[in-house]
Amino acid sequence: MFHLSYSDKESLEREPRGESQQEVLRRAAKDLPIYTRTMSGAIRYCDRCHLVKPDRCHHCSVCDKCILKMDHHCPWVNNCVGFSNYKFFLLFLAYSLLYCLFIAATDLQYFIKFWTNGLPDTQAKFHIMFLFFAAAMFSVSLSSLFGYHCWLVSKNKSTLEVFRAPIFRHRTDKNGFSLGFSKNLRQVFGDEKKYWLLPVFSSLGDGCSFPTCLVNQDPEQASTPGGLNSTSKNENHLFPAKPLRDSQSHLLTDTLSWSETSGKAEKGKVGMSNPALTMENET
């Protein structure tokens, strides 16, 4: 649904940069659940994949494709970490950290004996020393990385969003996708706690649209000092209508399901864009 149609793609390539191309992108994105823009205020468009980028989606130059809710490209797993495998990446870090801690703990007594000459004088004692140092160093590095990603989950951020805050239609907000600790945690691990520690996909949503505390904000109304409309604070912290396990791609079958909580008035706002909008192709 986010790919440009053949006619729109031809129009975009035929028209010179300017208002004509803006109109093509506005027409293509008018019914899409997108709320973020580029730094210049343009609709986020990928000229390599020829699609309007969903919120939190970025193009990976290594994989040469757009990744939903991209966090980073990980050389250790030779793959991008994003919406479809972020929970598995966190569990991979947790499992690895526990394994290294277990090895370091069980090897500690023999490591102490190595320095007190309590071990037989064989080459095996050097293996014990190497094993302890390797497990200890990996434990330190994994604990730092795992702690950092736990913080990201608690704030509902990705690594890319930490370095560059998402830009919404009316302003930049580094916490625009944060819904509170409990809901942020459930977005990654799901509602059923029995699946949290298992390598089973249980994340909420479809990766194309995300609940945000800024979606229903009316720029015409007065805002609280924190920038949020106090009358709709509790209404904004909602999840998409259907999780992935219920509908693999509800945006392809029901373009209105993502906006059920917004009402009919919100539908007219989704396609609106800044009059001064300029197109910017991102890679």
Side-chain angles (χ1 to χ4, degrees), residues 107 111 115 128-139:
D107 192 43
F111 181 74
W115 292 105
I128 293 175
M129 181 182 66
F130 173 79
L131 181 62
F132 179 81
F133 275 119
M137 288 187 296
F138 274 105
S139 297

Side-chain angles (χ1 to χ4, degrees), residues 61-81:
S61 59
V62 180
C63 299
D64 195 26
K65 62 181 179 180
C66 286
I67 307 297
L68 295 177
K69 194 187 175 182
M70 181 176 176
D71 187 87
H72 68 285
H73 183 89
C74 181
W76 295 99
V77 298
N78 192 30
N79 197 8
C80 272
V81 177

Side-chain angles (χ1 to χ4, degrees), residues 214-230:
L214 302 178
V215 170
N216 296 330
Q217 183 181 8
D218 186 355
E220 301 291 334
Q221 297 177 356
S223 301
T224 62
L228 298 177
N229 191 337
S230 58

Side-chain angles (χ1 to χ4, degrees), residues 90-104 135-147 150:
L90 287 173
L91 293 180
F92 166 71
L93 295 179
Y95 297 159
S96 301
L97 177 59
L98 292 176
Y99 181 61
C100 290
L101 291 175
F102 173 77
I103 294 176
M137 288 187 296
F138 274 105
S139 297
V140 173
S141 60
L142 285 172
S143 60
S144 301
L145 185 59
F146 180 65
C150 287

Side-chain angles (χ1 to χ4, degrees), residues 19-259:
E19 184 61 29
S20 299
Q21 285 190 338
Q22 297 175 28
E23 185 60 32
V24 172
L25 291 180
R26 282 197 292 265
R27 184 172 64 250
K30 65 179 180 179
D31 293 324
L32 297 178
I34 55 176
Y35 302 100
T36 56
R37 298 293 187 265
T38 65
M39 296 181 65
S40 62
I43 294 176
R44 301 172 64 245
Y45 173 74
C46 179
D47 58 352
R48 296 182 64 87
C49 299
H50 303 290
L51 56 81
V52 177
K53 291 182 180 180
D55 291 342
R56 315 182 81 175
C57 175
H58 298 275
H59 186 89
C60 176
S61 59
V62 180
C63 299
D64 195 26
K65 62 181 179 180
C66 286
I67 307 297
L68 295 177
K69 194 187 175 182
M70 181 176 176
D71 187 87
H72 68 285
H73 183 89
C74 181
W76 295 99
V77 298
N78 192 30
N79 197 8
C80 272
V81 177
F83 172 78
S84 62
N85 61 354
Y86 189 61
K87 177 191 174 183
F88 302 109
F89 177 73
L90 287 173
L91 293 180
F92 166 71
L93 295 179
Y95 297 159
S96 301
L97 177 59
L98 292 176
Y99 181 61
C100 290
L101 291 175
F102 173 77
I103 294 176
T106 54
D107 192 43
L108 179 60
Q109 57 177 323
Y110 302 102
F111 181 74
I112 295 176
K113 290 181 180 181
F114 171 83
W115 292 105
T116 58
N117 296 322
L119 292 177
D121 191 12
T122 62
Q123 292 183 351
K125 64 180 184 180
F126 296 102
H127 297 168
I128 293 175
M129 181 182 66
F130 173 79
L131 181 62
F132 179 81
F133 275 119
M137 288 187 296
F138 274 105
S139 297
V140 173
S141 60
L142 285 172
S143 60
S144 301
L145 185 59
F146 180 65
Y148 173 70
H149 279 280
C150 287
W151 176 80
L152 291 179
V153 171
S154 67
K155 299 296 183 181
N156 202 351
K157 295 181 180 180
S158 66
T159 300
L160 294 178
E161 291 169 351
V162 170
F163 290 98
R164 187 173 66 183
I167 303 173
F168 295 88
R169 285 182 293 179
H170 307 299
R171 66 177 184 181
T172 299
D173 194 317
K174 62 181 181 180
N175 295 316
F177 292 107
S178 180
L179 308 173
F181 178 79
S182 177
K183 291 184 178 180
N184 292 343
L185 193 66
R186 296 208 316 268
Q187 273 212 309
V188 176
F189 292 98
D191 289 326
E192 301 184 37
K193 295 183 179 180
K194 61 183 179 180
Y195 295 128
W196 282 13
L197 300 180
L198 298 178
V200 178
F201 184 85
S202 57
S203 301
L204 297 181
D206 60 359
C208 295
S209 62
F210 298 91
T212 169
C213 57
L214 302 178
V215 170
N216 296 330
Q217 183 181 8
D218 186 355
E220 301 291 334
Q221 297 177 356
S223 301
T224 62
L228 298 177
N229 191 337
S230 58
T231 61
S232 60
K233 181 177 180 181
N234 295 327
E235 297 176 0
N236 295 334
H237 293 176
L238 299 173
F239 288 98
K242 297 180 180 179
L244 185 64
R245 57 180 177 270
D246 292 339
S247 174
Q248 291 293 329
S249 183
H250 75 272
L251 293 176
L252 299 179
T253 57
D254 186 4
T255 58
L256 299 180
S257 62
W258 58 271
S259 60

